[in-house]
Amino acid sequence: MKKSKQASVQPVEPVTQAQAEDAVRTLLRWAGEDPRREGLIDTPKRVAKAYQDWFSGYAIDPAEYLGRTFEEVAGYDEMIVLRDIPFESFCEHHMAPIIGRAHVGYLPTDKVVGISKLARVVDAYARRFQVQEKMTAQIAHCIGEVLKPRGVGVVVDATHQCMTTRGVHKRGVSMITSQMLGSFREDARTRAEFLRFIDIDGHGR
């Protein structure tokens, strides 16, 4: 049987801090700079430290954030929506920033999760090299698989600097992606209620 492309990917070898800093020096030289210049001496160290922050999502299991739930909600079973969750990510194609907002909603069954945990799930996936469509689906499926709600809706609205600062240089353009699961996909009224709650048209888009 022919192996899939994904299955053939080999494990990534660990990279040391020194190797990461050397890679930054190589890029500086390739760009035409001298990494020995006073203003750039500490740049490799700063970039490596920034990468540890920007891509900290690889060390996190987003599902763990949803592990603690609450059942004493007096029978509440209506939609829960957390909107305008800011995030910063990086495009995996050009390593350029993706900056935007995520809107998350779900219909609980018999338990709810702290709202800050929904924002943490967004951050955990955002702090990786990403494709917006994939990130949107990852957030929705994580919430759906862990909380087992009746439905999940995720909408992401973001600008991509790989498009605004290079290539076609189109500023003021944002991309909107959505992933609807369960009743959010099957019931048009539920989906419409969610979209009304997040007021995606009310932000000047």
Side-chain angles (χ1 to χ4, degrees), residues 4 6 8 25 29 70 77 83 98 114 131 158 172 198-199:
S4 67
Q6 183 68 26
S8 65
R25 293 186 188 94
R29 288 195 299 270
F70 305 94
D77 61 357
R83 66 181 189 180
I98 302 172
V131 174
I198 67 175
D199 190 22

Side-chain angles (χ1 to χ4, degrees), residues 87-105:
F87 72 86
E88 302 90 29
S89 189
F90 281 81
C91 163
E92 67 179 39
H93 299 145
H94 299 97
M95 300 173 68
I98 302 172
I99 300 173
R101 294 185 300 265
H103 314 279
V104 177

